[in-house]
Amino acid sequence: MTSDSYHLGDNVNMYGGTNNTGMVKNAAPAALDPELRSAIAALTTQLQKLRAEVSPLGARTIDESLPVLAPDSVVQPQVRARALMAVAGVAATAGALGVPIVEAVNKILQLLGAQ
């Protein structure tokens, strides 16, 4: 038996059931561009140094953002962009010490296409 039918992409068949809410996607995340990976790694190092120089609230914001910013973390681009904006806000309050971090965040946002 041969067929000329081809199917590419998702195929969902639902027969009965209740409270069906959607599909689970288990696609592998795309690898980060090497330039972006390098920029994020450098930013992470800068943030770890800045953490000791900011208020407890700023330090907590950095602590919450670092796992999301890690080059190997699997997160949506929007989530990473929000974490970048959060650490840029902390860096902006740190005066001259935070200037290179704000510049690094802007570069990463450009690489992500979020700016």
Side-chain angles (χ1 to χ4, degrees):
M1 183 169 143
T2 62
S3 172
D4 290 334
S5 298
Y6 297 95
H7 177 78
L8 301 173
D10 296 328
N11 181 19
V12 177
N13 296 305
M14 296 172 60
Y15 303 100
T18 58
N19 299 322
N20 298 321
T21 58
M23 299 182 337
V24 174
K25 299 271 190 172
N26 292 317
L32 286 180
D33 173 67
E35 182 181 6
L36 179 58
R37 177 178 283 281
S38 174
I40 290 174
L43 175 65
T44 300
T45 301
Q46 290 175 311
L47 287 171
Q48 290 167 343
K49 292 176 184 174
L50 177 67
R51 187 190 180 286
E53 305 297 326
V54 297
S55 69
L57 179 59
R60 190 169 76 220
T61 300
I62 291 171
D63 290 343
E64 291 170 355
S65 299
L66 282 174
V68 175
L69 296 176
D72 294 326
S73 66
V74 180
V75 296
Q76 295 293 323
Q78 302 89 338
V79 173
R80 184 168 272 138
R82 280 194 298 271
L84 286 165
M85 298 300 283
V87 296
V90 172
T93 66
L97 185 62
V99 171
I101 293 173
V102 172
E103 291 172 355
V105 166
N106 286 332
K107 177 183 176 186
I108 292 169
L109 287 171
Q110 287 176 341
L111 291 171
L112 288 172
Q115 189 177 43

